[in-house]
C-alpha cells in the first residue's frame, strides 16, 4: 500500500512548499470545528463551528474560531466546505461571512440551515452576499486551486452528513468529521463504505477521523433502535399532554416522533425558533413528508385539547431562554403545562458542560407537576451520532492511510484513538495529535510539525443585532466581580487647583461585605487609604499613576485583611 502512495506522490508532487493542514480548532475540544488546508496560493477551510461557553464565561453566548491566519492570508482563502449542519460545524459562519467573501460548498440541508441562521436580523445583509455551491455525494468533483474535492456519505445525527475526499498534489486526504456506521438510518442512506474502501485501495496520505466515541466499546446503535420508543411512550401517555425535547437539527428523530404521533392519532406542534426554522427547511427538502394537517401552529395550540397534541420543543440542553425553559417557569406565551404532562428528553444524556442546566430544568418541570422521562429511567430515548470503537476501527482499517489524525474529541479521546490504531500495528509516528493552531506539513509523503499558530479564544456576547466580540480581560473582570464584588474609592479633587482631599474619601462596595456589620473594617480602610494617598501624593505623581498606585495598595491591603480580592476601582470626583 505504501508503495502505491509513494508512486502517487512521486508522480504528482511539484516543487511547492508542500501541503499544510492547520487544525485551527476542534482537536482539543469537541466543538468549534475548523480545519484549514493550504497548498501554494490556495487555502480552503472545512467547517466553521461555534463552541458553547463554560459557566465561568459570564455574558458569553458563543466562542468562535480565531480567524487571524485567514485575515493575514486573505488573498489565498478560496472556499469554505461544510461536512454537516450541526452548530459546532456551521455556527460561526455568520461571523466568518462578515469578514470574508468566499463561496460555501455544502449540501442542500446545510444551505437551508445557514440561510435560516442568516435570516436573523443581525445578519440579514449577509444573505445577499452568500454564494452557495451544491456539494454532496451526488455532485461532481470540484477543483479549487490544487485541491480536487468530492463528498461521500457518512451517517450522523443529522441527515446529509458527509466525509470529504481532498485530492492534493501530495496525496489524498480523507476528512471524516462526525460520523458513525448505521446500516438502518431512519431517513438517510447507510454510509458509503464501498467508496471509502476504494479510496483506501488507491492510497490515502492522511485520514482525519472523528474520535469522540472511541472509548465506547462495540458497534454504535442505529437510529432505527428508537423506532418503537415513541409509539410505546405516546401510547402509554395517550390521555396526557406530551412534550418531547430534542436537538433542533435532529430531523430523523423528529421524523420518528411525528410518525409515532400520527400512528396514535395525535397532532404535532413545533415550538422554539431553531426547531421551527430547521423543520421548515427539512419539510421543503422532503425530509418530513407528512400531510400538513398533522401540524398545528404553536400560536393556536392552546385552542386544542392538550391531550391531542405532541409538542416537539427546543431546550433539551437546559437552555434557560429556550421554549421549554420558559414552559418550566410558566413563562411560555403559548404553552401552559398541564398538571400531569409528560416531558420526554430525547437527547444526549450527558451533554458536555450543560448537565447541571438540564438537571435544573428537569427539577423545575417536576416541581410544577410534570412527569419527566429521560435516559436514566427509560431505554432507547437517544442514540449517539458518533461512531463507537468498532465503527472507528473499521474505517481506520479500511482506509489504511499513511497518517492518522483524530479530530472532534478531547485530548483524552485523541490519545485513546491513537492507542486504538496502534493496536492495528500502526507505528506511533504515523499518528498525528495536533492541538489548536498546530500546522502539519506534508512534503513528499512525509509529515512533520510546522510552525504553530498563536490562536486565541474569540468570545461573542450580546444578542441579535448587539452581538459583538468580548475582550478576555472583560471576562476576567466579570469573574472577579462575581466572586468577590466591587470596592470603589471616590477621591474628591479640587476643580480649581487639582488639590486632592485625601481625608474626605468615600467608599462604596457591592457584593463584597455587608457594610452595616463591617463598620470597623470600613473605618480602618478609610484611614489606610488616606495614608496611602498622602504617601504617593507627596511624590508629585500625575492622577493616572497615582490612581494605579492606590488601587494596587488597596488591593494588597484587602487581600491581607479579608483574604479576598474584590475589583478595586479608584475614581476622582471634582469638587
Ligand atoms: Zn455533528
Amino acid at each position: 500500500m505504501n508503495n502505491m502512495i509513494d508512486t502517487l506522490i512521486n508522480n504528482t508532487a511539484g516543487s511547492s512548499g508542500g501541503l499544510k493542514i492547520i487544525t485551527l480548532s476542534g482537536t482539543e475540544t469537541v466543538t468549534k470545528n475548523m480545519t484549514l488546508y493550504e497548498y501554494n496560493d490556495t487555502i480552503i477551510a472545512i467547517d466553521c463551528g461555534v463552541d458553547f461557553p463554560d459557566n465561568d464565561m459570564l455574558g458569553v453566548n458563543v466562542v468562535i474560531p480565531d480567524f487571524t491566519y485567514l485575515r493575514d492570508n486573505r488573498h489565498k482563502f478560496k472556499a469554505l466546505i461544510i461536512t454537516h449542519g450541526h452548530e459546532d460545524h456551521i455556527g460561526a459562519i455568520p461571523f466568518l461571512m462578515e469578514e470574508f467573501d468566499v463561496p460555501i460548498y455544502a449540501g442542500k440541508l446545510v444551505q437551508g440551515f445557514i440561510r435560516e441562521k442568516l435570516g436573523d436580523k443581525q445578519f440579514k445583509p449577509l444573505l445577499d452576499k452568500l454564494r452557495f455551491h451544491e456539494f454532496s455525494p451526488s455532485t461532481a468533483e470540484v477543483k479549487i486551486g490544487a485541491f480536487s474535492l468530492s463528498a461521500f456519505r457518512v451517517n450522523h445525527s443529522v441527515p446529509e452528513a458527509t466525509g470529504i475526499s481532498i485530492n492534493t498534489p501530495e496525496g489524498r486526504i480523507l476528512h471524516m468529521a462526525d460520523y458513525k456506521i448505521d446500516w438502518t438510518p431512519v431517513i438517510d442512506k447507510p454510509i458509503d463504505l464501498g467508496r471509502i474502501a476504494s479510496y483506501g485501495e488507491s492510497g490515502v496520505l492522511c485520514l482525519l477521523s472523528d474520535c469522540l466515541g472511541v472509548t465506547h466499546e462495540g458497534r454504535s446503535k442505529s437510529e432505527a433502535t428508537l423506532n418503537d420508543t415513541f409509539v410505546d411512550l405516546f401510547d402509554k401517555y395517550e390521555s396526557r399532554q406530551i412534550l418531547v425535547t430534542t436537538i433542533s437539527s435532529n430531523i430523523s428523530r423528529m421524523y420518528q416522533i411525528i410518525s409515532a404521533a400520527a400512528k396514535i392519532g395525535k397532532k404535532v406542534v413545533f415550538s422554539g425558533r431553531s426547531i421551527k426554522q430547521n423543520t421548515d427547511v427539512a419539510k421543503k427538502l422532503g425530509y418530513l413528508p407528512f400531510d400538513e394537517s398533522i401540524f398545528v401552529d404553536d400560536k393556536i395550540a392552546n385552542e386544542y385539547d392538550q391531550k391531542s397534541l405532541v409538542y416537539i420543543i427546543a431546550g433539551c440542553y437546559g437552555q434557560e431562554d429556550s421554549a421549554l425553559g420558559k414552559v418550566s417557569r410558566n413563562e411560555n406565551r403559548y404553552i401552559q403545562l398541564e398538571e400531569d404532562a409528560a416531558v420526554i428528553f430525547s437527547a444526549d444524556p450527558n451533554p458536555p458542560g450543560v448537565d447541571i442546566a438540564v438537571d435544573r430544568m428537569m427539577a423545575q418541570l417536576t416541581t410544577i407537576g410534570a412527569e419527566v422521562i429521560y435516559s436514566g429511567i427509560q431505554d432507547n430515548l437517544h442514540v449517539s451520532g458518533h461512531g463507537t470503537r468498532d465503527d472507528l476501527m473499521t474505517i481506520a482499517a479500511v482506509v489504511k492511510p499513511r497518517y492518522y489524525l483524530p479530530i472532534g474529541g478531547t485530548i483524552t479521546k485523541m490519545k485513546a484513538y491513537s492507542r486504538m490504531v496502534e493496536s492495528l500495528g500502526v507505528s506511533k509516528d504515523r499518528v498525528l495529535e495536533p492541538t489548536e493552531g498546530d500546522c502539519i506539513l506534508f512534503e513528499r509523503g512525509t509529515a512533520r510539525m510546522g510552525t504553530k499558530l498563536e490562536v486565541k479564544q474569540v468570545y461573542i456576547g450580546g444578542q441579535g443585532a448587539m452581538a459583538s466580540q468580548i475582550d478576555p480581560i472583560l471576562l476576567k473582570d466579570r469573574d472577579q466581580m462575581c466572586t468577590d464584588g466591587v470596592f470603589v474609592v471616590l477621591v474628591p479633587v479640587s476643580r480649581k487647583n487639582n488639590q486632592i482631599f485625601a481625608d474626605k474619601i468615600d467608599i462604596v462596595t457591592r457584593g463584597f461585605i455587608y457594610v452595616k456589620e463591617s463598620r470597623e473594617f470600613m473605618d480602618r480602610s478609610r484611614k489606610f487609604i488616606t495614608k496611602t494617598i498622602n504617601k504617593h501624593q507627596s511624590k508629585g505623581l500625575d492622577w493616572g499613576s497615582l490612581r494605579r498606585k492606590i488601587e494596587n495598595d488597596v488591593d494588597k491591603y484587602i487581600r491581607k485583611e479579608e483574604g479576598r480580592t474584590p475589583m478595586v476601582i479608584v475614581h476622582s470626583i471634582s469638587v
Side-chain angles (χ1 to χ4, degrees):
M1 179 51 48
N2 283 343
N3 284 345
M4 200 177 285
I5 296 176
D6 287 334
T7 315
L8 184 78
I9 290 158
N10 292 335
N11 284 346
T12 49
S15 55
S16 81
L19 165 73
K20 283 183 193 168
I21 298 183
I22 299 170
T23 49
L24 212 53
S25 53
T27 51
E28 292 164 74
T29 54
V30 181
T31 52
K32 199 164 49 95
N33 294 280
M34 192 169 196
T35 310
L36 308 183
Y37 291 85
E38 179 174 349
Y39 191 88
N40 284 348
D41 60 352
T42 304
I43 295 175
I44 56 169
I46 295 196
D47 292 336
C48 184
V50 290
D51 191 4
F52 299 99
D54 295 337
N55 289 340
D56 59 353
M57 297 179 188
L58 301 164
V60 175
N61 290 330
V62 289
V63 188
I64 63 170
D66 183 352
F67 302 141
T68 306
Y69 186 77
L70 290 174
R71 253 172 240 131
D72 295 344
N73 293 277
R74 189 177 286 275
H75 61 291
K76 292 187 179 183
F77 185 25
K78 301 286 161 54
L80 172 66
I81 295 101
I82 302 297
T83 58
H84 66 283
H86 276 160
E87 276 298 289
D88 56 340
H89 292 257
I90 64 168
I93 289 177
F95 302 98
L96 186 82
M97 298 319 282
E98 276 185 331
E99 286 193 56
F100 301 92
D101 187 12
V102 291
I104 302 174
Y105 290 78
K108 281 185 177 153
L109 186 70
V110 172
Q111 290 183 30
F113 284 178
I114 297 170
R115 276 210 180 87
E116 288 294 339
K117 182 177 285 301
L118 290 172
D120 288 354
K121 202 169 136 204
Q122 175 201 4
F123 298 117
K124 238 174 191 152
L126 295 176
L127 269 176
D128 298 335
K129 204 172 129 180
L130 280 187
R131 283 184 288 140
F132 277 121
H133 292 270
E134 197 188 334
F135 183 63
S136 73
S138 54
T139 54
E141 191 176 61
V142 172
K143 254 192 102 48
I144 303 168
F147 301 114
S148 299
L149 299 110
S150 3
F152 56 91
R153 242 177 16 245
V154 298
N155 298 117
H156 190 37
S157 46
V158 60
E160 291 188 13
T162 55
I164 317 269
S165 154
I166 310 162
N167 216 353
T168 82
E170 290 289 335
R172 190 187 299 276
I173 310 289
L174 291 192
H175 186 110
M176 296 183 67
D178 308 358
Y179 71 88
K180 70 193 261 190
I181 296 174
D182 191 344
W183 299 122
T184 53
V186 174
I187 49 177
D188 253 343
K189 288 183 183 158
I191 186 168
D192 194 346
L193 205 53
R195 191 149 156 197
I196 296 167
S198 75
Y199 288 137
E201 284 306 311
S202 63
V204 171
L205 176 63
C206 184
L207 165 69
L208 283 81
S209 168
D210 184 3
C211 66
L212 190 63
V214 67
T215 47
H216 295 285
E217 294 293 333
R219 275 186 53 199
S220 59
K221 276 186 172 179
S222 168
E223 276 285 332
T225 320
L226 313 187
N227 277 345
D228 295 334
T229 304
F230 296 105
V231 178
D232 294 345
L233 281 172
F234 295 173
D235 200 24
K236 182 176 172 188
Y237 297 108
E238 198 189 356
S239 59
R240 288 153 73 168
Q241 182 193 37
I242 297 174
L243 287 76
V244 188
T245 181
T246 189
I247 183 167
S248 65
S249 56
N250 199 334
I251 304 300
S252 73
R253 191 70 48 84
M254 295 193 204
Y255 179 92
Q256 289 172 311
I257 297 165
I258 301 164
S259 301
K263 212 166 183 177
I264 302 292
K266 287 181 183 269
K267 288 187 182 291
V268 173
V269 185
F270 294 121
S271 177
R273 196 174 54 148
S274 56
I275 284 199
K276 283 184 183 176
Q277 286 178 343
N278 289 351
T279 49
D280 265 356
V281 175
K283 274 190 203 172
K284 280 178 200 148
L285 293 173
Y287 282 118
L288 298 173
F290 298 93
D291 194 286
E292 271 303 307
S293 63
I294 195 173
F295 300 113
V296 173
D297 192 299
D298 65 341
K299 292 184 185 65
I300 55 162
N302 56 12
E303 295 169 13
Y304 283 72
D305 175 6
Q306 294 300 300
K307 293 168 183 57
S308 69
L309 301 177
V310 170
Y311 289 88
I312 299 180
I313 187 165
C316 62
Y317 289 156
Q319 305 94 310
E320 284 197 9
D321 58 351
S322 65
L324 187 58
K326 286 174 187 156
V327 167
S328 75
R329 300 190 301 275
N330 275 327
E331 289 170 7
N332 193 305
R333 242 194 307 169
Y334 307 118
I335 308 170
Q336 275 79 45
L337 207 66
E338 302 222 316
E339 276 260 313
D340 60 349
V343 184
I344 302 165
F345 279 70
S346 176
D348 186 348
N350 301 107
V354 296
D355 40 351
I356 295 171
V358 174
D359 279 351
R360 192 186 305 129
M361 188 187 280
M362 286 184 180
Q364 276 166 349
L365 290 163
T366 309
T367 306
I368 58 174
E371 180 175 348
V372 178
I373 299 110
Y374 56 100
S375 286
I377 56 166
Q378 167 76 42
D379 286 339
N380 293 334
L381 269 184
H382 178 71
V383 291
S384 171
H386 295 270
T388 47
R389 193 180 170 87
D390 281 6
D391 295 29
L392 302 178
M393 185 84 109
T394 303
I395 296 299
V398 164
V399 176
K400 304 178 291 269
R402 178 170 282 185
Y403 292 100
Y404 295 83
L405 196 164
I407 52 173
T410 56
I411 299 272
T412 319
K413 299 291 170 79
M414 200 189 267
K415 285 278 176 210
Y417 182 91
S418 300
R419 282 195 293 275
M420 181 195 81
V421 291
E422 279 160 34
S423 76
L424 291 172
V426 173
S427 61
K428 263 194 167 65
D429 59 333
R430 285 173 54 203
V431 191
L432 309 165
E433 295 175 356
T435 51
E436 288 191 359
D438 267 332
C439 168
I440 300 146
L441 201 58
F442 292 86
E443 279 173 312
R444 305 192 76 78
T446 307
R448 65 181 167 86
M449 296 308 279
T451 313
K452 189 180 175 75
L453 304 184
E454 219 178 276
V455 287
K456 56 183 188 303
Q457 300 291 315
V458 181
Y459 305 107
I460 304 291
Q463 294 285 359
M466 307 302 281
S468 62
Q469 207 168 314
I470 299 176
D471 193 289
I473 292 171
L474 282 186
L475 287 190
K476 238 181 112 199
D477 287 352
R478 287 176 188 182
D479 188 42
Q480 190 179 10
M481 283 191 273
C482 261
T483 314
D484 281 331
V486 195
F487 187 97
V488 183
V489 182
L490 298 169
V491 184
V493 179
S494 164
R495 208 173 276 126
K496 275 189 225 153
N497 56 9
N498 289 336
Q499 189 194 344
I500 294 171
F501 301 103
D503 55 343
K504 293 204 168 64
I505 58 151
D506 205 357
I507 298 173
V508 181
T509 74
R510 287 289 181 275
F512 169 53
I513 46 168
Y514 189 45
V515 175
K516 275 187 184 163
E517 289 176 3
S518 311
R519 294 217 181 278
E520 206 190 310
F521 168 75
M522 293 299 274
D523 287 343
R524 270 204 322 272
S525 300
R526 212 167 277 117
K527 280 179 196 151
F528 171 83
I529 296 167
T530 302
K531 219 170 106 190
T532 304
I533 295 174
N534 286 332
K535 183 178 85 184
H536 292 306
Q537 198 182 3
S538 63
K539 294 173 191 160
L541 300 172
D542 61 66
W543 170 250
S545 312
L546 181 62
R547 181 176 55 80
R548 278 191 293 278
K549 290 259 184 217
I550 303 166
E551 281 176 353
N552 241 334
D553 285 3
V554 174
D555 187 63
K556 279 186 204 151
Y557 165 79
I558 298 173
R559 199 183 301 229
K560 196 171 144 224
E561 287 278 314
E562 294 286 303
R564 296 173 61 188
T565 53
M567 170 168 282
V568 176
I569 300 168
V570 174
H571 195 70
S572 67
I573 34 172
S574 297
V575 290

